[in-house]
Amino acid sequence: MTPRPNPGPAPEPAVATSPEPAAVPVPDPAGTPPPGSTLGMLRLDQHVCFSLQSASRAFNGLYRVLLKDLGLTYPQYLVMLVLWEHGTLPVRKLGEHLRLDSGTLSPLLKRLEAAGLVHRERSARDERSVEVRPTEEGLALRERALDIPRRIAASTGIGLDEIQDLKARLDHLTTALDTAAANEA
Amino acid sequence: MTPRPNPGPAPEPAVATSPEPAAVPVPDPAGTPPPGSTLGMLRLDQHVCFSLQSASRAFNGLYRVLLKDLGLTYPQYLVMLVLWEHGTLPVRKLGEHLRLDSGTLSPLLKRLEAAGLVHRERSARDERSVEVRPTEEGLALRERALDIPRRIAASTGIGLDEIQDLKARLDHLTTALDTAAANEA
DNA sequence: GGGCATTTAGTTGCGCACAATTTAATTGCG
DNA sequence: CGCAATTAAATTGTGCGCAACTAAATGCCC
């Protein structure tokens, strides 16, 4: 009932580690390890991946604010972007554009359909495939989204050319990481 | 029961939109809109945010492979990084380092505790606070993580200096986006 | 010192990402 | 043709991110 974790019966079996944690059990036997060293590379502030994830989440936060009016989440917005650009697409193609599989897309599309923004229909040519088509309402939403990219761009505080450069580097990085992950598997 | 969506009773009420979707309901009245135009900015390939998110997810995928041995997820690994670097920390401080709140950290830490890697104990000085301390097992895991940054770095396919430059840009971007989101609210 | 605002974690609920599995349709190959 | 392999989507289950809320402890101010 209570949100507290510990006042109950068996909360502190813990592990038979150190009998009494004096003060700082771990860090800095001789100060912060240098960035280039093996130990130093485990420092959080050395991790691009974290900066990357932080930036992505910051984007997400700004989109969340801007998309509130439209009633869309950020992933749903990306789906609508693809549909606005390409029109009706099967789920698989949608997933290729967005790097998402049916496990993510199926429930998301169900929500978009419930919101009246898309229509799903099994393909007549290939009954395995489901065609996702933006409804009139979904198409109309595009007008209300028109100024979002501009507002986002203005918020980044960097120029369009630097954005393009950044994008190119990131896409290159993504390719390299995907390749590595496939080879490590 | 069946995974199919539509053969059931009421799957196709849809919306009274277009009577018959001819072929391509949307795109390109006059070809692809140019990148700089208002319409063109809604193109997915114009969105840094998507490249950013893709790169972040690609990182995540590679980490997933490399961390499998250690039994850690990527977010759990980040938590351990902070604990290895700073030793025992209250949940709040942990969250400041990682940009996470208790809603995310509480269950994650519970899982780390169940795995025997951390110990949680309410602070004696301030009973509101919970101190998160790496166990001996948690500390020992650091040795097994030592070569992960090197393997990741090797997989990025870019130099350490460019990594640093990228990181700096991303951190700057994150700050700008956070500011914008706060002001739009 | 009493009472109220603030702070800290935890919980609940929702949506997304992803692995693994299931079902059905299609393809391919003998 | 018949049957195995492949493909498409959905489902299930787990974990993360975040908003909203709750409970408890502390700080503060009169």
Side-chain angles (χ1 to χ4, degrees), chain B residues 3 5 73 75-76 99-100 103-104 108 111 125-128:
Chain B
T73 66
Q76 290 166 6
R99 171 184 270 251
L100 294 172
T104 301
L108 188 155
R111 284 186 283 272
R125 288 192 308 96
D126 185 343
E127 291 263 330
R128 292 170 301 181

Side-chain angles (χ1 to χ4, degrees), chain A residues 43-107:
Chain A
R43 281 166 44 190
L44 181 64
D45 64 357
Q46 295 297 308
H47 283 66
V48 224
C49 55
F50 181 66
S51 295
L52 209 46
Q53 193 203 29
S54 295
S56 185
R57 287 165 60 198
F59 256 119
N60 210 307
L62 180 54
Y63 272 107
R64 191 175 302 119
V65 174
L66 297 186
L67 291 173
K68 201 168 200 173
D69 288 354
L70 308 192
L72 291 177
T73 67
Y74 173 61
Q76 290 166 6
Y77 173 71
L78 293 182
V79 167
M80 294 310 296
L81 280 188
V82 175
L83 293 177
W84 288 332
E85 185 174 349
H86 295 100
T88 302
L89 284 178
V91 173
R92 191 186 63 81
K93 286 281 183 192
L94 215 41
E96 283 175 11
H97 282 289
L98 295 166
R99 171 183 270 251
L100 294 172
D101 64 5
S102 70
T104 300
L105 281 176
S106 287

Side-chain angles (χ1 to χ4, degrees), chain A residues 29 31-47, chain B residues 63 77 81 84-85 141-153 160:
Chain A
T32 300
S37 68
T38 302
L39 261 181
M41 290 182 73
L42 283 179
R43 281 166 44 190
L44 181 64
D45 64 357
Q46 295 297 308
H47 283 66
Chain B
Y63 272 107
Y77 172 71
L81 280 188
W84 289 332
E85 183 175 351
L141 199 62
R142 188 186 202 177
E143 314 310 318
R144 296 213 284 144
L146 279 181
D147 67 332
I148 288 186
R150 189 187 42 73
R151 296 171 72 185
I152 294 280
L160 284 182

Side-chain angles (χ1 to χ4, degrees), chain B residues 36-76:
Chain B
S37 68
T38 302
L39 262 181
M41 291 183 72
L42 283 179
R43 280 165 44 190
L44 181 65
D45 64 357
Q46 294 298 307
H47 283 67
V48 223
C49 55
F50 181 67
S51 296
L52 209 46
Q53 194 204 27
S54 295
S56 185
R57 286 165 61 197
F59 256 119
N60 211 307
L62 180 55
Y63 272 107
R64 191 174 302 118
V65 174
L66 298 186
L67 291 174
K68 201 168 201 174
D69 289 351
L70 307 193
L72 291 177
T73 66
Y74 173 62
Q76 290 166 6

Side-chain angles (χ1 to χ4, degrees), chain B residues 6 10 12 15 54-55 71 81 84 89 105 122 130 133 153 161 175:
Chain B
N6 285 344
E12 299 290 336
V15 181
S54 295
L81 280 188
W84 289 332
L89 284 178
L105 281 176
R122 240 172 233 276
V130 166
R133 180 172 56 86
D161 47 349
T175 304

